[in-house]
Amino acid sequence: MAKIIDGKAISKQIKDELKEKASELKANGISVTLAVIQVGNNPASTVYVNNKKKGCEYIGIGSLSYELPEETEEEELLNLINELNGRKDVNGILVQLPLPAHIDEDKVIKAIDPKKDVDGFHPQSVGALCIGQPGFVSCTPAGIIQLLKRSGIELAGKECVVLGRSNIVGKPMSLLMLRENATVTIAHSKTADLKEVTKRADILIVAIGRPKMVTRDYVKEGAVVIDVGINRNEDGKLCGDVDFDDVAPVSSAITPVPGGVGPMTIAMLLNNCLESVNLQ
Ligand code: NDP
């Protein structure tokens, strides 16, 4: 039976380390503040935003909250970002996605000062990751690297398959794996013979948003399986992109949903907030 990778425990460990780091910064007269902007009241976004604010409180950094109505004009949001870019007492700026349809997400992401881009979505942050320069790294993929390292799973020389190629998970994930000297394959909806490709993986990362699609026929015996998916099944319960009960017996280690990758995203956001001090 696979080892279950406990994202809750590992994220707690990271948050406790960050708490110490934040108090050292404070002792040196440096305070850190994250500005969180939410437009509209999408219930899932409200949960995420509240968890991020609670995370800031836990490690002892400040958070400023901007809750804007659904009908906020794009220009108004851009003006707010511009104001926060210029404030010396704000270290990180996070705009909770998705935004209402009338606002251009790309424009908003690009408006954030790359030195305050704690989500790591700005093209400059992505470019820096691509060529190995300092910059913010997208939180979910960075969290997965921590999950693997802190579980004693070696990446160098391993065959890694990343299933999914989104800008926020799949692509940065594959770049981070490459940085760790893994041999990386990216698969997606147009990949021919998907099972043949995923079965090559020593480490399989799944980020497709398809409830329980990945069964044991996609997995090599003894592989490590990381499930990024957050979906609701027919009964409204949370489930991943991997069929956990089917895959766990053939894998050597696996993340559950919930309690795997999810908690790591916030831990890495908080890490980026403290890192911002070095970049600014
Ligand atoms: P996107 O919808 O942006 O991307 C999905 C990717 O999966 C695309 O590249 C798509 O391929 C590929 N894909 C979709 N269906 C298939 C299929 N049948 N076979 C092969 N590939 C397929 O999703 P995200 O990357 O944003 O999110 C993925 C999942 O991770 C979601 O469940 C999301 O909720 C979750 N998530 C979890 C986070 C966490 O903190 N744990 C954070 C972010 C996301 P193509 O490009 O060809 O269309």
Side-chain angles (χ1 to χ4, degrees):
M1 182 66 180
K3 170 188 163 144
I4 312 294
I5 300 176
D6 186 346
K8 237 176 158 174
I10 296 174
S11 74
K12 165 87 167 51
Q13 191 184 42
I14 293 175
K15 282 192 279 187
D16 286 339
E17 290 166 15
L18 294 173
K19 197 174 186 172
E20 261 180 47
K21 219 163 147 187
S23 86
E24 275 167 31
L25 286 171
K26 215 179 250 170
N28 289 320
I30 301 167
S31 60
V32 178
T33 299
L34 170 69
V36 182
I37 305 172
Q38 183 181 357
V39 185
N41 43 20
N42 173 326
S45 292
T46 305
V47 172
Y48 291 138
V49 162
N50 286 337
N51 286 341
K52 286 166 187 176
K53 289 192 273 194
K54 269 190 222 154
C56 289
E57 207 175 309
Y58 183 81
I59 70 159
I61 64 174
S63 69
L64 299 173
S65 185
Y66 296 88
E67 286 152 25
L68 309 182
E70 181 83 20
E71 57 280 5
T72 302
E73 297 285 345
E74 183 180 278
E75 199 185 339
E76 204 181 318
L77 176 59
L78 294 174
N79 287 341
L80 172 60
I81 292 171
N82 202 27
E83 179 205 319
L84 295 169
N85 281 341
R87 274 177 61 171
K88 285 215 161 58
D89 60 331
V90 171
N91 305 83
I93 302 171
L94 182 148
V95 180
Q96 185 62 44
L97 303 180
L99 289 168
H102 65 279
I103 299 180
D104 181 344
E105 266 180 21
D106 280 344
K107 219 170 172 181
V108 169
I109 290 170
K110 280 191 201 144
I112 298 172
D113 180 346
K115 289 198 178 73
K116 299 189 177 186
D117 173 38
V118 284
D119 254 340
F121 295 162
H122 192 286
Q124 191 170 313
S125 307
V126 180
L129 170 63
C130 202
I131 58 171
Q133 290 192 351
F136 292 108
V137 178
S138 179
C139 303
T140 303
I144 292 170
I145 296 289
Q146 284 301 316
L147 272 186
L148 293 168
K149 286 191 170 173
R150 289 173 186 250
S151 304
I153 295 163
E154 179 67 45
L155 283 145
K158 295 284 176 64
E159 285 284 345
C160 294
V161 176
V162 180
L163 182 48
R165 56 174 165 179
S166 70
N167 289 340
I168 61 166
V169 187
K171 281 182 198 150
M173 188 70 244
S174 51
L175 289 168
L176 282 177
M177 294 283 210
L178 194 60
R179 193 162 88 177
E180 298 294 334
N181 298 316
T183 302
V184 184
T185 304
I186 308 171
H188 46 77
S189 70
K190 306 290 185 294
T191 297
D193 203 351
L194 186 59
K195 287 180 186 168
E196 187 272 322
V197 174
T198 56
K199 272 196 140 160
R200 282 189 233 146
D202 300 315
I203 301 173
L204 175 63
I205 315 274
V206 186
I208 50 178
R210 299 274 179 265
K212 296 192 183 183
M213 189 187 103
V214 172
T215 52
R216 64 171 67 192
D217 337 342
Y218 289 79
V219 180
K220 178 169 82 177
E221 181 92 34
V224 172
V225 181
I226 304 292
D227 187 356
V228 186
I230 301 179
N231 312 292
R232 298 243 169 227
N233 68 12
E234 318 79 52
D235 315 327
K237 273 178 74 180
L238 279 187
C239 73
D241 292 340
V242 174
D243 185 338
F244 183 89
D245 294 335
D246 191 49
V247 171
V250 299
S251 57
S252 60
I254 186 166
T255 56
V257 177
V261 173
M264 296 300 291
T265 302
I266 292 183
M268 299 321 288
L269 168 72
L270 299 170
N271 179 64
N272 280 352
C273 290
L274 296 191
E275 284 291 313
S276 68
V277 172
N278 299 327
L279 289 170
Q280 282 156 19

